[in-house]
Amino acid sequence: MQDKKITIFDVAECAGVSKGTVDRVLHNRGEVSKTSAEKVRKAIEELGYEPNLYASLLASKKARLIACLLPEVYPGEYWEKIRTGFEAGAESVAGLNVRTRIFSYDQYDPASFDAACSDVLASEPAGVVVAPLFKNGTINFVKQLRDRDIPYVYIDSKLEDSNYFAYFGMPMYQSGYLCAALLTERLRPEDVKLITVVRIIRDKSHQSDPTVNRREGFSDYIMENFPACRIENFFIDPSHPELIEAALQELTEDRKLVVMFNSRVHLLSSFLQKHPSPGRRVIGFDNLDRNMEALRSGQVTLLIAQHTERQSIRAVETLADYIIFGKKPLNRDNYVHMDILSRLNIDNY
């Protein structure tokens, strides 16, 4: 059989709809029933139809908006890297008549998150990138996105709902499991009796808990391999750095195994430097400059890192491919590499 170029007419015939309906679905404009839209998307996928780039651009009288819902950004923090990646992704899709906008919220305030969600919906986006720090607020938000047939991509962490378009980030459970293996590597059971987990005080209503799956992976590994071990949690408040050292006073010399599951292990550096303990192991996450300094100085033993910016770059590009071309990602869950950094290899990372 000779190869035949699939056209919009073939898609319309396969879906049992008009060419105009296919055109409206492709360019995300006008009213189309959910049933018809799903038929068109299924036909596109089955036939392997690829819209002509330039025809799509010419047909797009209005630029499509990709909205990104992120915590407020401060210099040197994890979310600055995510924002940098989003901006790089925005630049890469600008030629497709896709524009982007960041909507920020206070990561310690659920009401601020809800307000930002309302602003996103009011902007009528064609796609949304969301970091789901607040579980209840996110569940409500993505339900409204689904009702409006707006695809959404999770970054950093994800909720286990059945409708997200894609996820870009670490495999959270596996990263916790890996952390436990690294922390206890080559230790005897009698040396793994107590592990100290330092956690961040977040919102007062306890809705924000982005590392919960990571903690589960960590705990499962410890229970499987060191069932007699006790895991204790210490909480510190990053909004009051002057109180952190006082909160850590119980991190005495006999607490040899210490872990933080977020990107702020550098908050422990000053205390650890003033209270050294030979043989202490400290593991944190993410290659922030201050974390790298703590690793280089020996206050931190290992970092489990990732090229953070790639999450948001790929999220934007994936949504743009779908919005313009109807192209779905090969994988729904797209996990970034988990890189293990020590003092010996950080200079080349």
Side-chain angles (χ1 to χ4, degrees):
M1 293 180 64
Q2 288 185 328
D3 290 339
K4 175 188 174 184
K5 183 174 177 61
I6 304 300
T7 69
I8 192 172
F9 297 100
D10 297 317
V11 175
E13 183 178 359
C14 180
V17 299
S18 69
K19 172 181 172 292
T21 297
V22 176
D23 185 79
R24 286 193 293 275
V25 172
L26 286 174
H27 301 113
N28 195 28
R29 63 187 180 202
E31 293 295 328
V32 179
S33 71
K34 287 187 177 181
T35 300
S36 295
E38 185 57 36
K39 287 181 180 179
V40 171
R41 294 189 185 105
K42 184 177 180 181
I44 288 171
E45 187 173 353
E46 289 179 352
L47 296 174
Y49 173 68
E50 295 184 0
N52 180 275
L53 170 62
Y54 298 104
S56 295
L57 293 177
L58 288 172
S60 300
K61 297 179 181 178
K62 179 181 178 182
R64 306 294 186 267
L65 173 66
I66 295 177
C68 186
L69 191 59
L70 286 181
E72 293 170 349
V73 172
Y74 298 96
E77 290 192 351
Y78 173 83
W79 295 108
E80 182 181 38
K81 289 181 176 288
I82 292 289
R83 183 182 185 118
T84 298
F86 185 80
E87 291 170 346
E91 186 174 344
S92 73
V93 303
L96 300 178
N97 204 18
V98 172
R99 62 187 180 91
T100 59
R101 180 180 170 188
I102 293 174
F103 295 79
S104 299
Y105 61 90
D106 181 345
Q107 64 176 297
Y108 303 106
D109 183 1
S112 174
F113 178 82
D114 293 341
C117 290
S118 296
D119 291 341
V120 170
L121 293 170
S123 72
E124 299 183 348
V128 175
V129 179
V130 56
L133 264 65
F134 294 102
K135 182 177 180 179
N136 293 341
T138 301
I139 290 172
N140 178 61
F141 177 53
V142 299
K143 180 183 183 302
Q144 295 181 74
L145 293 176
R146 289 196 301 272
D147 290 344
R148 302 182 187 201
D149 202 25
I150 299 172
Y152 57 95
V153 173
Y154 286 135
I155 57 171
D156 179 63
S157 61
K158 63 175 180 174
L159 301 184
E160 293 300 333
D161 72 71
S162 59
N163 295 283
Y164 65 91
F165 186 67
Y167 167 65
F168 294 92
M170 273 195 188
M172 295 298 281
Y173 180 91
Q174 291 86 339
S175 68
Y177 204 86
L178 172 64
C179 180
L182 294 172
L183 188 69
T184 59
E185 188 176 23
R186 299 182 183 177
L187 293 180
R188 301 168 299 175
E190 56 266 32
D191 297 324
V192 188
K193 295 294 186 183
L194 175 63
I195 294 174
T196 302
V197 176
V198 182
R199 296 172 60 184
I200 294 295
I201 296 175
R202 294 186 177 273
D203 63 294
K204 294 180 180 179
S205 58
H206 306 291
Q207 292 187 41
S208 176
D209 193 3
T211 63
V212 59
N213 291 334
R214 184 171 286 164
R215 294 200 309 275
E216 289 177 358
F218 183 91
S219 297
D220 284 353
Y221 182 93
I222 297 302
M223 289 301 296
E224 291 167 12
N225 295 278
F226 305 96
C229 178
R230 189 170 81 258
I231 299 175
E232 289 190 355
N233 293 292
F234 276 74
F235 287 85
I236 59 175
D237 188 348
S239 62
H240 295 284
E242 71 281 2
L243 302 178
I244 289 178
E245 289 198 31
L248 296 175
Q249 287 304 315
E250 292 188 53
L251 278 183
T252 51
E253 291 187 10
D254 62 326
R255 292 181 180 269
K256 300 293 187 182
L257 304 176
V258 182
V259 63
M260 284 191 77
F261 293 119
N262 52 53
S263 62
R264 305 192 199 187
V265 71
H266 60 84
L267 294 175
L268 308 183
S269 294
S270 177
F271 178 86
L272 295 175
Q273 189 170 25
K274 294 176 183 177
H275 301 84
S277 178
R280 179 188 281 152
R281 296 186 180 187
V282 181
I283 296 184
F285 284 78
D286 297 307
N287 58 316
L288 304 188
D289 289 344
R290 286 176 288 181
N291 287 349
M292 299 288 265
E293 290 171 9
L295 182 62
R296 190 173 282 110
S297 67
Q299 307 310 320
V300 171
T301 310
L302 295 172
L303 288 173
I304 299 175
Q306 58 184 311
H307 291 284
T308 306
E309 298 90 340
R310 291 180 184 173
Q311 297 180 43
S312 36
I313 291 174
R314 294 186 64 195
V316 171
E317 293 177 343
T318 296
L319 278 173
D321 277 346
Y322 180 67
I323 292 165
I324 299 299
F325 304 115
K327 180 180 177 182
K328 293 183 177 180
L330 294 177
N331 300 305
R332 191 165 177 242
D333 291 323
N334 302 272
Y335 297 121
V336 298
H337 292 167
M338 295 186 290
D339 303 321
I340 303 169
L341 303 185
S342 73
R343 296 171 65 184
L344 301 178
N345 67 351
I346 56 172
D347 290 334
N348 297 318
Y349 188 68

